[in-house]
Amino acid sequence: MALKGIHHITAITGDAPGNVDFYVRVLGLRMVKKTVNFDVPDVYHLYFANEAGSPGSILTFFEYPGAARGRHGAGMIHTIQWGVAGREALDFWESRLAKEGFHTSRTGDRLRLEDPEGLGIELLIDPEGEPPLAASWNEVPAEFALRGFSGVRVYGGVATARERELAAAGHQIIDSDHVLTKTLGFERVPDRPTAYRLTGGVRRATYAYDEPPAERGYQGAGSVHHIAWACDPEDQPGWRQTVAEGHLNPTPIIDRQYFYSVYFREPSGVLFEIATIGPGFAIDEPLDRLGEALQLPPQHESRRPQLEKRLTPVTNPRTSRPAPRS
Ligand code: ZN
């Protein structure tokens, strides 16, 4: 039983049209699902990914229209990393993003920027992880496309001073290091004392801590809400049990239509989810039409007329016309 890398990352936007424009038109991802937050169905849940909507490439957003910006702080993911093929890909993105009015900074193997609402993004030269989990979009040459997630950066400490004291005194401490390595099967990254990785997926995934800023963080537009790790469907009950035995208080297994999910918090405060690799996004619309029409799960289908009136209309740059309403 091993986690298979990142399944998806979910963040918050206050501006669905701007969000779709940035991730689909500028970054070249494919919108693979337009649905609602199943727990709060009057807000969007938008999914961006590679062509097939594969785990390892899926970034999703809840839209709270007009939401104020959040602030990245301790216990929050502040940066999402995508792999690109090489130096020429970084050149391409540096120039494309500058033309789009984004400030970027380039150091060594990476290009850093913020999305329009302040979410940190890094494009990293990462030749591993074949085949790439790329979308195809006519403004981005295939060899430069984003190839799926490489990892995330988190504000948090592995253990507090008090926890280290207790550990030194021989107490078993349930800190992030313990949860990541003992409960969830991450490896420590050699020579990087606060970085961990999963190697069982299509793409290797890194989960790395940075020293948090002094100011407290809070959720809002541009904040990451949670990260989901992928598992084989038959392993999910076992994962839930393992997480419960690790004193992490998991939710029951929840049906998310496109996958099944269990949630819990890792000790630094980041909300984790373990999500099944199937059934996937073609369960309620054909693969070649993913993301064009609003899809609702059976429990919310009766509210479709109100929801269609209430949700912000978004234009899918792929279809160059307002997305059909149903
Ligand atoms: Zn999720």
Side-chain angles (χ1 to χ4, degrees):
M1 195 168 86
L3 294 176
K4 304 293 176 76
I6 295 172
H7 186 291
H8 64 268
I9 299 168
T10 294
I12 297 167
T13 177
D15 170 24
N19 185 256
V20 171
D21 183 69
F22 178 71
Y23 285 98
V24 178
R25 186 185 62 78
V26 178
L27 289 192
L29 302 179
R30 182 181 187 194
M31 184 153 74
V32 294
K33 194 61 66 183
K34 186 166 65 170
T35 183
V36 294
N37 180 338
F38 291 3
D39 299 329
V40 190
D42 47 4
V43 306
Y44 268 132
H45 195 181
L46 304 173
Y47 289 68
F48 309 117
N50 69 338
E51 273 325 281
S54 309
S57 72
I58 307 163
L59 176 63
T60 91
F61 284 88
F62 297 134
E63 187 209 25
Y64 293 91
R69 277 202 187 189
R71 187 166 72 197
H72 308 305
M76 295 167 71
I77 291 171
H78 63 85
T79 296
I80 299 174
Q81 299 168 317
W82 273 275
V84 296
R87 190 161 293 282
E88 297 74 20
L90 287 188
D91 295 342
F92 168 82
W93 285 107
E94 194 172 16
S95 143
R96 176 170 173 81
L97 288 161
K99 274 184 222 146
E100 291 287 343
F102 288 88
H103 173 77
T104 63
S105 57
R106 185 163 170 177
T107 43
D109 65 348
R110 69 191 62 194
L111 184 69
R112 186 171 172 85
L113 68 144
E114 289 184 351
D115 91 347
E117 295 174 298
L119 176 56
I121 290 176
E122 283 177 355
L123 308 184
L124 292 179
I125 296 176
D126 182 0
E128 293 182 45
E130 295 292 339
L133 302 175
S136 61
W137 167 232
N138 59 22
E139 295 184 19
V140 178
E143 65 271 30
F144 302 149
L146 307 191
R147 296 157 60 97
F149 298 127
S150 287
V152 292
R153 291 174 57 180
V154 186
Y155 280 137
V158 170
T160 63
R162 175 67 185 146
E163 286 167 338
R164 281 195 297 268
E165 235 173 77
L166 287 168
H171 295 273
Q172 195 196 356
I173 302 306
I174 310 297
D175 71 351
S176 297
D177 179 82
H178 180 92
V179 167
L180 292 170
T181 60
K182 300 291 193 305
T183 310
L184 300 176
F186 283 71
E187 302 162 12
R188 296 191 184 95
V189 178
D191 305 324
R192 289 180 63 194
T194 60
Y196 298 82
R197 69 184 172 198
L198 283 175
T199 53
V202 175
R203 295 191 66 83
R204 188 190 63 200
T206 304
Y207 186 79
Y209 293 97
D210 295 309
E211 197 58 45
E215 284 187 309
R216 236 180 109 141
Y218 47 83
Q219 295 259 322
S223 297
V224 171
H225 187 268
H226 64 268
I227 183 165
W229 308 99
C231 76
D232 287 327
E234 62 273 21
D235 289 345
Q236 194 171 46
W239 276 115
R240 187 182 179 281
Q241 191 181 339
T242 300
V243 166
E245 285 165 359
H247 308 289
L248 294 167
N249 196 24
T251 64
I253 293 175
I254 300 171
D255 180 356
R256 294 305 191 193
Q257 180 90 344
Y258 312 109
F259 41 83
Y260 290 84
S261 301
V262 168
Y263 302 85
F264 57 97
R265 256 176 224 286
E266 70 99 334
S268 81
V270 175
L271 184 59
F272 273 15
E273 172 182 349
I274 294 178
T276 56
I277 283 169
F281 298 112
I283 192 174
D284 56 4
E285 60 188 340
L287 196 61
D288 62 351
R289 305 292 302 272
L290 291 182
E292 292 182 18
L294 179 68
Q295 300 298 330
L296 297 173
Q299 67 268 33
H300 298 314
E301 189 57 56
S302 64
R303 297 190 55 196
R304 179 179 286 276
Q306 299 94 291
L307 291 174
E308 288 188 338
K309 249 183 246 146
R310 191 186 167 112
L311 293 166
T312 319
V314 295
T315 300
N316 185 341
R318 285 263 188 136
T319 48
S320 297
R321 56 186 160 81
R325 290 222 139 193
S326 66

